[in-house]
C-alpha cells in the first residue's frame, strides 16, 4: 500500500516544506509501505519545474531511506517526459509513476509507443497510470498486457479505470512480475480479490493506519476483516472526494493540524459544510477503540 502524498502550501501559496516533513512522518508512522511523490493528488500540474524537484528532494531527505519512494513523472508530451527523466535526480527513487497522456487522446498504438519511449529512457522501473476519468483516454487491457510482455523496464500499472472486467483481464493475462495496483481506494478490495497487488491510496494521507490494516488483511486473504475495516473508512472516503481531490484530503489534514487548508487555483478548498463533516468523521475514526 502506497500513499499518493499531497503537497502542502503556505498562506502565501509557497510550498510548505515543514508541513511536508510532518506528513511524511505521519504516514510512515501509520504503516504505509511506500511513498508516492508528485502524483495527481500532489497538485503537480500547478507546481513549477523547480518546485517539483524541490518537493521530491525534500520527501527523499525526510524519508531518509525508511520506505521505497516512487516519483510521478508524466505528461502529454512524450519528448518532454523523456527529457525530464534525464533532468530529475532520481537517486533513491525506486520507480517512476507516469500517467497516460491527457487531453490529446492518443490511440492505443500511440499509448504503446509513448510508454515504450519512456521505459527505454528511464533509469528506474516505470509504473504506468491509467485514469481515464482525468485524462480522457482509457488504455485498454490488451495494450497494457502487450507493454508488460514486450518492454522490460515496465514494472506494473496503477489502474483507475473503474471497470472490473478490464481489471480482471489484466490480472488474468499479465506476465510474471507485472504488478496491478488499484488507483481507487473504493475499488482496492475488488482488485485484490481478482488477484491484484495492492493500492496507491489517497485516503492513506489522512488515515494511514486504517488503510494499511485493510490492505494487509486483503493481501492475506482475510477478506471479511478487510471489508470490516473498509466499512469504518468508507464514510470518510466518500466525503474526501465529494468536492474533488485533494480538496477533501487537505481539509482532513488541516483538521489534524498537519498542514494548512490551502490549494492552488484552479482548485479551491471544500465548502464550510463539508469541512465540518470531514472534521467530525476524522474525530469519529480516531476515537478510542476505533
Amino acid at each position: 500500500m502506497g500513499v499518493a502524498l499531497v503537497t502542502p502550501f503556505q498562506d502565501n501559496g509557497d510550498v510548505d516544506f515543514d508541513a511536508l516533513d510532518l506528513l511524511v512522518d505521519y504516514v510512515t508512522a501509520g504503516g504505509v509501505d511506500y511513498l508516492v511523490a508528485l502524483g495527481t493528488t500532489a497538485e503537480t500540474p500547478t507546481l513549477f519545474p523547480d518546485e517539483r524537484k524541490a518537493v521530491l528532494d525534500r520527501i527523499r531527505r525526510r524519508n531518509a531511506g525508511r520506505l521505497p519512494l516512487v516519483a510521478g513523472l508524466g505528461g502529454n508530451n512524450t519528448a518532454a517526459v523523456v527529457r525530464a527523466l534525464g533532468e530529475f535526480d532520481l537517486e533513491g527513487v525506486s520507480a517512476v509513476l507516469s500517467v497516460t497522456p491527457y487531453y490529446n487522446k492518443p490511440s492505443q498504438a500511440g499509448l504503446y509507443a509513448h510508454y515504450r519511449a519512456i521505459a527505454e529512457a528511464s533509469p528506474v522501473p516505470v509504473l504506468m497510470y491509467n485514469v481515464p476519468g482525468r485524462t480522457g483516454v482509457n488504455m485498454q487491457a490488451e495494450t497494457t498486457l502487450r507493454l508488460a510482455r514486450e518492454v522490460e523496464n515496465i514494472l506494473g500499472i496503477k489502474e483507475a479505470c473503474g471497470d472490473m472486467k478490464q481489471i480482471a483481464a489484466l490480472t488474468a493475462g499479465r506476465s510474471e512480475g507485472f504488478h496491478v495496483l488499484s488507483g481507487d481506494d473504493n475499488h482496492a478490495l475488488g482488485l485484490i480479490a481478482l488477484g491484484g497487488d495492492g493500492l496507491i491510496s489517497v485516503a492513506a494521507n489522512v488515515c494511514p493506519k486504517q488503510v494499511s490494516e485493510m490492505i494487509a488483511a486483503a493481501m492475506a486473504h482475510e477478506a471479511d476483516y478487510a471489508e470490516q475495516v473498509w466499512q469504518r473508512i468508507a464514510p470518510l472516503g466518500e466525503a474526501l472526494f465529494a468536492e474533488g481531490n485533494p480538496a477533501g484530503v487537505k481539509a482532513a489534514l488541516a483538521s489534524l493540524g498537519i498542514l494548512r487548508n490551502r490549494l492552488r487555483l484552479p482548485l479551491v478548498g471544500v465548502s464550510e459544510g463539508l469541512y465540518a463533516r470531514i472534521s467530525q468523521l476524522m474525530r469519529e475514526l480516531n476515537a478510542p477503540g476505533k
Side-chain angles (χ1 to χ4, degrees), residues 16-259:
D16 188 339
F17 290 104
D18 290 338
L20 187 58
D21 286 346
L22 290 176
L23 180 60
V24 169
D25 291 346
Y26 174 68
V27 299
T28 300
V32 305
D33 295 311
Y34 57 99
L35 307 175
V36 181
L38 302 177
T40 307
T41 301
E43 297 175 75
T44 304
T46 67
L47 295 176
F48 293 101
D50 60 330
E51 290 179 318
R52 296 179 191 183
K53 294 176 181 178
V55 166
L56 177 61
D57 185 59
R58 185 63 169 249
I59 292 171
R60 175 172 41 214
R61 284 191 284 127
R62 188 66 177 190
N63 179 46
R66 287 179 289 175
L67 297 174
L69 174 62
V70 175
L73 280 172
N76 61 351
N77 179 341
T78 308
V81 178
V82 168
R83 177 180 293 180
L85 285 165
E87 293 176 347
F88 267 72
D89 177 8
L90 296 177
E91 180 70 27
V93 172
S94 299
V96 296
L97 177 68
S98 196
V99 70
T100 52
Y102 39 84
Y103 187 77
N104 43 18
K105 288 191 173 182
S107 66
Q108 297 300 304
L111 290 169
Y112 175 88
H114 172 80
Y115 276 118
R116 183 165 197 129
I118 289 172
E120 290 175 349
S122 178
V124 298
V126 174
L127 271 172
M128 303 180 292
Y129 180 20
N130 186 40
V131 55
R134 285 184 178 266
T135 64
V137 61
N138 177 42
M139 188 159 67
Q140 297 170 5
E142 293 83 356
T143 304
T144 301
L145 294 173
R146 182 186 172 200
L147 285 160
R149 288 192 309 267
E150 298 180 5
V151 183
E152 184 177 350
N153 201 32
I154 290 180
L155 177 65
I157 186 167
K158 177 185 176 184
E159 182 58 79
C161 65
D163 183 344
M164 299 311 289
K165 289 184 178 179
Q166 180 165 316
I167 291 169
L170 289 175
T171 56
R174 61 179 168 173
S175 51
E176 185 177 356
F178 183 80
H179 298 272
V180 179
L181 305 167
S182 177
D184 292 312
D185 289 86
N186 61 336
H187 290 148
L189 296 185
L191 178 141
I192 293 170
L194 289 170
D197 301 297
L199 166 69
I200 294 179
S201 174
V202 172
N205 279 279
V206 302
C207 50
K209 179 181 177 182
Q210 292 87 347
V211 179
S212 297
E213 185 180 13
M214 177 184 77
I215 297 302
M219 295 299 293
H221 307 291
E222 298 171 358
D224 290 344
Y225 183 67
E227 181 63 28
Q228 289 176 24
V229 178
W230 171 243
Q231 290 305 317
R232 297 204 305 266
I233 301 170
L236 175 63
E238 182 179 356
L240 291 178
F241 290 93
E243 294 180 8
N245 180 47
V249 175
K250 285 197 163 180
L253 288 168
S255 77
L256 293 175
I258 292 175
L259 50 71

